[in-house]
Every structure is written in C-alpha cells, then in structure tokens.
Amino acid sequence: MTPKPFFTVICVALAAALIASLAIRTRFERDLALAAARAAQGSVVVTTRCGPNEVQQAGVGGRCRPALLVLDSMKHSCAFDGRSKIR
C-alpha cells in the first residue's frame, strides 16, 4: 500500500518547517548570546534629573549614540530625544 500524495506533501512540508524553525532558533540564540556579551562590557552609571541611569555607547568619535534607553516609566516622566550627549 502506498501513501497518498497529499499525505506525502504534508509530511514533507512539516519536516521542512521543523528544519527551518530549528535553524532559525539556533541562529537567534547565537545572536542573543553575542548581544549579551557586548552589553556586558563598558557600561557607566550616570546621574540625570530623572535619577541614575546605566548607559553604554557604541561607535567611535562624534558618532557615539545610545542604541537603547530604558527609563523606569512608573517613577519618572523624563523624555529623551536621542540627541542628548552624555559625557
């Protein structure tokens, strides 16, 4: 007895989806580990009018810009426009 063509197509599609999802997950976990290693280097705590914030700058020279800034929005309502310089 041979399997029906529809069943074969479904099995091949599921196998391809499984292989693709495993490849994507592996790459995601590798990228996440690299980002965590980069983030663990060279941060500085600065005092702002909203309280202490931990910052890290990426880039060289005058092109240093914060990549991400997270404020505790429950305690403070300070805005950051991305153009401020922390020196």
Side-chain angles (χ1 to χ4, degrees):
M1 211 160 93
T2 61
K4 299 189 186 260
F6 180 73
F7 179 72
T8 304
V9 169
I10 295 295
C11 288
V12 169
L14 287 174
L18 178 65
I19 291 169
S21 67
L22 289 175
I24 290 169
R25 181 178 176 110
T26 301
R27 186 169 181 177
F28 173 74
E29 288 177 352
R30 185 188 69 218
D31 289 347
L32 192 60
L34 289 172
R38 279 193 309 267
Q41 301 172 2
S43 65
V44 178
V45 176
V46 295
T47 302
T48 66
R49 64 185 172 100
C50 296
N53 287 297
E54 184 175 4
V55 297
Q56 180 179 19
Q57 292 184 338
V60 292
R63 296 191 169 254
C64 290
R65 296 192 65 141
L68 175 67
L69 179 70
V70 179
L71 293 174
D72 184 0
S73 61
M74 298 303 287
K75 292 181 183 176
H76 307 291
S77 61
C78 296
F80 182 77
D81 62 5
R83 293 184 299 252
S84 301
K85 298 279 185 189
I86 299 172
R87 298 277 176 197

